[in-house]
């Protein structure tokens, strides 16, 4: 067993060194929590109502929820939430709340939304409409308005992306609200904000639009294992307390109530999140966000310098570029690909040194793919815009 685990550990070390395509912050250290790994900590049921199961971390969970409620400007007596097992669960819960508030509502989500939005529609047997996107990946609000007006008889449940999966695009929340209110949907809509990655980064970006419950939104979810950095998948879901009564139920077996999706919930995750939030604080996260954005601009600029088409949205640390033709290279650097494009998500654990190593290898292998210029660079203008493409037709 020791030999097997040692080999596995070294594989994890190597894979971590070449991790660029997925939005996980791998720079963390939780040695102080080792003393708690001997306990089976389970936060089953409602975080705010203690159950008969006494080995829990509810006090830490509520501390984490209070932190995010303050970040998104919702008073302590006006919010409800819980720590989920992943970002997808946050979306499933947020959309479920919307469906309970408006049982006959239609789900609107852009085609660049995370697949879990449409998974929710299938699971809940909801009518859903896919909205077009701009080349940036942001929701096309003209198409959204047009599709809204075709269905004025039914309430709208809208999934707003605070950073899309592939391009890191941020939907225009203020414009979405304006369109809903001007199209006759006032008091007949529910907005869930999917902030899996950028929901925590956006508040620390200068001049960025605010995601806040002072606006008429219903819920916000964020992943805990992405920007925060946590050794297991987890997330945070916050909604308005007034919505939860619709489907919260007493569970005699637990001597508690439950409005979550899962039953048992990982009680260790709140401890990891609580430690990080307290250790870094607002100022620590602000520094990390600024460093990520600076390193993302560095990567985008260096890719363009070596003749690789690349795009970076203004509020994002996701750099999109032409898909490498060598699948072995893609697997080595764990790049996330879609069609003709791939991306690197610059997280706090992604250093300039790691980006330089990636760039050096990309330039070498790309020269082989293009055979010293005999094969043309691919055109990806449709995916990232002509101004960002480096093919012969669009190259400046």
């Amino acid at each position: 067993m020791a030999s097997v685990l040692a080999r596995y550990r070294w594989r994890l070390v190597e894979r971590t060194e070449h991790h660029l395509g997925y939005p996980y912050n791998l720079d963390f250290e939780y040695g102080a929590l080792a003393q708690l790994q001997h306990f089976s900590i389970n936060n089953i049921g409602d975080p705010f109502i203690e159950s008969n199961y006494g080995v829990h971390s509810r006090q830490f969970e509520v501390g984490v929820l209070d932190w995010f409620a303050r970040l998104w400007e919702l008073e302590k007596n006006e919010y409800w939430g819980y720590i989920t097992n992943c970002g997808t669960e946050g979306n499933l819960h947020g959309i479920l709340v919307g469906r309970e508030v408006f049982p006959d509502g239609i789900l609107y989500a852009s085609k660049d939304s995370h697949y879990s939005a449409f998974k929710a529609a299938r699971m809940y047997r909801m009518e859903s409409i896919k909205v077009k996107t701009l080349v940036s990946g942001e929701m096309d609000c003209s198409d959204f308005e047009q599709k809204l007006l075709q269905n004025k008889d039914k309430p709208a449940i809208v999934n707003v992306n605070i950073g899309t999966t592939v391009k890191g695009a941020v939907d225009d929340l203020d414009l979405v609200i304006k369109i809903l209110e001007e199209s006759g949907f006032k008091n007949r809509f529910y907005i869930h904000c999917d902030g899996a990655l950028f929901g925590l980064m956006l508040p620390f970006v200068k001049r960025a639009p605010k995601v806040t419950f002072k606006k008429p939104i219903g819920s916000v979810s964020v992943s805990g294992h992405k920007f925060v950095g946590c050794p297991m998948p987890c997330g945070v879901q916050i909604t308005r307390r007034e919505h939860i009564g619709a489907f919260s139920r007493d569970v005699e077996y637990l001597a508690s109530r439950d409005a979550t999706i899962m039953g048992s919930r990982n009680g260790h995750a709140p401890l990891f999140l609580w430690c990080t939030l307290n250790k870094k604080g607002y100022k620590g996260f602000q520094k990390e966000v600024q460093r990520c954005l600076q390193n993302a601009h560095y990567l985008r600029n260096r890719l363009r310098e070596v003749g690789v088409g690349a795009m970076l949205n203004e509020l994002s640390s996701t750099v999109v570029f032409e898909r490498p033709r060598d699948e072995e290279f893609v697997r080595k650097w764990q790049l996330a690909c879609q069609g003709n494009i791939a991306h690197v998500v610059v997280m706090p654990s992604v250093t300039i040194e790691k980006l330089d190593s990636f760039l050096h290898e990309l330039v070498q292998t790309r020269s082989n793919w293009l055979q010293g210029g005999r094969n043309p660079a691919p055109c990806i203008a449709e995916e990232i815009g002509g101004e960002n493409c480096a093919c012969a037709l669009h190259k400046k």
Side-chain angles (χ1 to χ4, degrees):
M1 284 177 60
S3 175
V4 169
L5 292 174
R7 287 198 301 271
Y8 177 58
R9 181 186 181 280
W10 282 113
R11 173 166 174 76
L12 292 180
V13 169
E14 186 277 327
R15 291 287 70 204
T16 298
E17 288 177 354
H18 296 93
H19 185 279
L20 284 179
Y22 295 88
Y24 305 136
N25 179 8
L26 306 180
D27 182 19
F28 51 77
E29 201 286 314
Y30 290 109
L33 296 180
Q35 60 186 319
L36 304 178
Q37 298 308 298
H38 302 287
F39 300 98
S40 179
I41 308 177
N42 191 330
N43 286 1
I44 191 166
D46 192 305
F48 301 93
I49 305 174
E50 189 167 345
S51 76
N52 285 339
Y53 187 79
V55 188
H56 62 78
S57 62
R58 276 180 170 78
Q59 63 273 45
F60 294 94
E61 180 173 18
V62 172
V64 171
L65 296 173
D66 285 347
W67 193 94
F68 279 96
R70 286 194 300 272
L71 183 70
W72 295 323
E73 299 182 307
L74 191 56
E75 295 297 323
K76 187 174 177 64
N77 64 340
E78 294 179 350
Y79 90 84
W80 185 90
Y82 73 105
I83 292 180
T84 63
N85 292 297
C86 60
T88 287
E89 186 181 347
N91 287 341
L92 293 178
H93 192 275
I95 293 170
L96 177 61
V97 174
R99 203 280 308 270
E100 292 298 304
V101 174
F102 296 112
D104 61 338
I106 297 174
L107 174 64
Y108 296 84
S110 80
K111 74 179 188 67
D112 279 26
S113 297
H114 190 263
Y115 67 87
S116 59
F118 300 104
K119 177 193 281 189
R122 292 194 304 272
M123 288 176 65
Y124 305 146
R125 297 290 190 266
M126 295 172 66
E127 183 179 354
S128 64
I129 293 177
K130 194 172 289 189
V131 180
K132 294 177 183 177
T133 54
L134 307 175
V135 70
S136 65
E138 180 184 332
M139 179 186 283
D140 182 340
C141 284
S142 295
D143 186 57
F144 173 58
E145 182 176 18
Q146 181 182 343
K147 286 171 175 169
L148 265 181
L149 293 174
Q150 292 170 357
N151 298 278
K152 291 189 70 170
D153 58 324
K154 290 186 177 181
I157 300 167
V158 188
N159 181 77
V160 170
N161 293 302
I162 313 301
T164 56
T165 308
V166 176
K167 296 180 179 179
V170 177
D171 292 339
D172 191 333
L173 174 60
D174 292 336
L175 183 54
V176 166
I177 293 170
K178 183 172 182 286
I179 289 170
L180 284 162
E181 293 181 340
E182 292 181 355
S183 299
F185 284 83
K186 192 173 181 63
N187 301 320
R188 295 175 56 240
F189 67 84
Y190 180 97
I191 294 175
H192 170 66
C193 296
D194 176 9
L197 172 60
F198 294 105
L200 182 53
M201 296 179 70
L202 203 66
F204 304 106
V205 178
K206 294 177 182 177
R207 297 181 299 279
K210 290 189 74 172
V211 175
T212 169
F213 279 91
K214 293 188 182 301
K215 299 175 183 179
I217 62 175
S219 52
V220 184
S221 63
V222 66
S223 293
H225 57 289
K226 291 180 179 171
F227 188 77
V228 176
C230 194
M232 74 277 292
C234 60
V236 173
Q237 160 73 350
I238 298 285
T239 187
R240 296 180 187 274
R241 184 178 292 273
E242 65 191 78
H243 297 325
I244 284 302
F247 61 99
S248 182
R249 298 288 183 271
D250 289 319
V251 184
E252 183 180 2
Y253 171 73
L254 303 177
S256 181
R257 290 181 67 79
D258 190 22
T260 66
I261 287 186
M262 300 299 179
S264 293
R265 292 184 295 109
N266 187 341
H268 289 275
L271 296 168
F272 288 101
L273 295 176
W274 181 86
C275 279
T276 298
L277 297 180
N278 279 279
K279 186 161 60 176
K280 294 182 178 178
Y282 284 10
K283 288 185 178 179
F285 282 119
Q286 188 170 35
K287 287 180 181 178
E288 289 193 339
V289 168
Q290 294 306 316
R291 187 168 71 249
C292 287
L293 295 178
Q294 289 168 5
N295 289 354
H297 279 87
Y298 172 82
L299 175 60
R300 191 273 312 271
N301 294 340
R302 291 284 288 115
L303 284 168
R304 288 181 173 178
E305 287 172 10
V306 299
V308 178
M311 178 185 81
L312 174 63
N313 278 310
E314 182 183 2
L315 302 172
S316 176
S317 67
T318 299
V319 181
V320 184
F321 55 97
E322 68 180 58
R323 180 175 184 161
R325 299 184 186 182
D326 185 342
E327 288 304 311
E328 186 176 336
F329 177 84
V330 169
R331 284 193 298 273
K332 176 179 178 179
W333 288 97
Q334 300 166 69
L335 301 178
C337 302
Q338 180 175 285
N340 297 319
I341 56 176
H343 75 203
V344 164
V345 185
V346 179
M347 291 280 92
S349 54
V350 176
T351 62
I352 291 292
E353 291 73 23
K354 181 179 284 191
L355 293 177
D356 282 341
S357 177
F358 167 75
L359 284 161
H360 177 72
E361 189 173 335
L362 175 65
V363 170
Q364 283 189 324
T365 52
R366 187 170 182 267
S367 179
N368 295 332
W369 311 331
L370 301 183
Q371 295 186 352
R374 290 191 295 275
N375 289 333
C379 179
I380 52 174
E382 185 176 338
E383 289 87 354
I384 66 172
E387 69 278 14
N388 298 310
C389 184
C391 74
L393 180 64
H394 296 99
K395 192 173 183 180
K396 296 177 182 178

